Amino acid sequence: DIQMTQSPSTLSASVGDRVTITCRASQTISSWLAWYQQKPGKAPKLLIYDASSLESGVPSRFSGSGSGTEFTLTISSLQPDDVATYYCQEYNNYYSFGQGTKLEIK
Amino acid sequence: EVLLVESGGDLVQPGGSLRLSCAASGFTFNSYKMNWVRQAPGKGLEWVSFISSSGNSKYYADSVRGRFIISRDNAKNSLFLQRNSLRGEDTAVYYCVTEGGSGYYPDWGQGTLVTVSS
């Protein structure tokens, strides 16, 4: 099975900051990676798929990059509405999620 | 608009069984692969099972293989998860999700909570 490791586990940043979350795969997954945002009590929401494609309706401050084993999710200018837990997911070989990164506002 | 509505969540005793359902609308259900994903209280997301659009291909996570059975009724736009030999670690919110393109999940239901406890 492919293991997905996110870092950091918790992140605190100020409104307007540039925020980066990293996801590493235990073996190469090409670009078969998605990012999700989950707010408390809600279902996850797809943000990015195929490593860098922005899902329709998602603000352009979200972007994804990477291939192979290392990937990043970047929020170019953090907004209060972005407080959530973020998960990466590989779909190269079945499906595995990272453990999540909780994003807070300072 | 895609709508996925799960039902069937309940309190069940260890060793018991439970069938979850997902009613789909707003899209051509029989053209989509579907999955179940679960989330234990305060924990992360875990993929549970996959079914192809026709229902001919099915995959399971190691943690549920042999105990859970995924199925679908394309005539009724419905997805199911039959869960047997339930354990405490099966306690979770279970989400019904569509699969887009190469394997990501564009649409999620609101989830249904299953609690396994005596």
Side-chain angles (χ1 to χ4, degrees), chain A residues 1 32 34 36 38 41-46 48-50 55 87 89-92 94-99, chain B residues 33 35 37 39 43-47 50 59-60 62 65 95 99 102-111:
Chain A
D1 291 358
W32 304 126
Y36 300 88
Q38 187 179 33
K42 301 292 186 181
K45 173 187 174 183
L46 177 67
I48 302 286
Y49 62 94
D50 296 349
E55 172 70 346
Y87 294 93
Q89 176 218 6
E90 68 85 15
Y91 41 94
N92 178 75
Y94 293 109
Y95 316 86
S96 298
F97 289 92
Q99 81 279 14
Chain B
K33 307 168 194 175
N35 291 262
V37 174
Q39 186 170 35
K43 302 298 185 181
L45 302 168
E46 179 188 17
W47 168 72
F50 159 96
Y59 305 127
Y60 300 93
D62 289 345
R65 188 177 295 115
Y95 294 102
E99 181 170 321
S102 38
Y104 52 89
Y105 302 148
D107 305 293
W108 297 64
Q110 86 287 350

Side-chain angles (χ1 to χ4, degrees), chain B residues 74-86:
Chain B
N74 285 342
K76 295 183 178 179
N77 290 347
S78 295
L79 177 71
F80 306 101
L81 187 68
Q82 177 66 41
R83 304 156 64 252
N84 303 318
S85 304
L86 286 165

